[in-house]
Amino acid sequence: MTMNDEPPGPCAQGEANWYAVQCKPGQEQRAHENLINQGFTCFFPQVQIERIRSGARKQKLESLFPGYLFIELKVGGEDWSVIRSTRGVLRLVRFGSQPTPIPRAAMGAIMARTGAAEGAEQIFKAGDAVRITRGPFADLDAVFDRFNGEERAIVLISMLEKQHKLALAVGDISRGD
């Protein structure tokens, strides 16, 4: 099945689909956080890129689609005006009078490309169990403490009968299931 095999129009009443949300300039992260806080399932695709700044290589997460994120909604089951009035959100992308669903195959390809679990963006909250995936502490279990800037996270690891704080790149941890 190709990405164009699904019908472009609205789906059946009560069925969940993904929709594109246009964000205010530079406010994708704000819109994402506010929609999540309201209980919506959102996906904010980001990719790790390497830039050279001041002669040093720096890893940075950047939006795969600057100015946009994705939200999963049920047709007829959500009040779309709540989304439009969310801080950071400009509008739902629409063609005509109704927001246009994104084909499942296209969303699956985007999620696979960014390494995200299907259905939601990977979000960490204080106290979440995480697993360190890279570096000298790879394959150790830890507890997420907090974010330290946009690209770093503080985790707690138990070692020698004591908890130690460790600062890691956000890309070096994953959900510990």
Side-chain angles (χ1 to χ4, degrees), residues 34-173:
N34 288 323
L35 288 167
I36 293 290
N37 289 340
Q38 293 177 53
F40 291 106
T41 301
C42 294
F43 177 57
F44 180 35
Q46 295 178 306
V47 291
Q48 188 90 10
I49 61 158
E50 189 173 281
R51 299 231 185 235
I52 298 177
R53 301 236 169 139
S54 303
R57 292 180 188 264
K58 304 265 182 172
Q59 296 286 328
K60 184 176 181 183
L61 275 177
E62 283 194 2
S63 177
L64 185 60
F65 302 102
Y68 296 89
L69 58 89
F70 302 96
I71 188 167
E72 189 175 37
L73 301 170
K74 291 182 182 176
V75 172
E78 304 285 349
D79 181 10
W80 294 356
S81 64
V82 173
I83 298 164
R84 288 190 310 263
S85 63
T86 301
R87 290 183 136 198
V89 172
L90 192 58
R91 67 180 63 95
L92 280 162
V93 174
R94 61 181 68 231
F95 295 100
S97 63
Q98 291 293 317
T100 304
I102 298 172
R104 293 186 191 284
M107 284 305 298
I110 293 167
M111 289 177 174
R113 167 90 169 116
T114 59
E118 186 163 333
E121 172 73 10
Q122 194 172 53
I123 300 170
F124 302 109
K125 295 181 184 135
D128 284 353
V130 296
R131 186 159 192 88
I132 301 170
T133 57
R134 287 185 274 187
F137 298 100
D139 299 326
L140 289 180
D141 292 321
V143 175
F144 181 81
D145 185 38
R146 67 182 189 278
F147 286 103
N148 186 14
E150 292 182 14
E151 302 173 18
R152 312 258 329 143
I154 305 294
V155 297
L156 304 170
I157 61 170
S158 294
M159 197 176 281
L160 301 172
E161 298 181 20
K162 187 177 176 186
Q163 281 204 334
H164 300 273
K165 288 185 179 182
L166 183 62
L168 297 169
V170 174
D172 291 351
I173 59 175

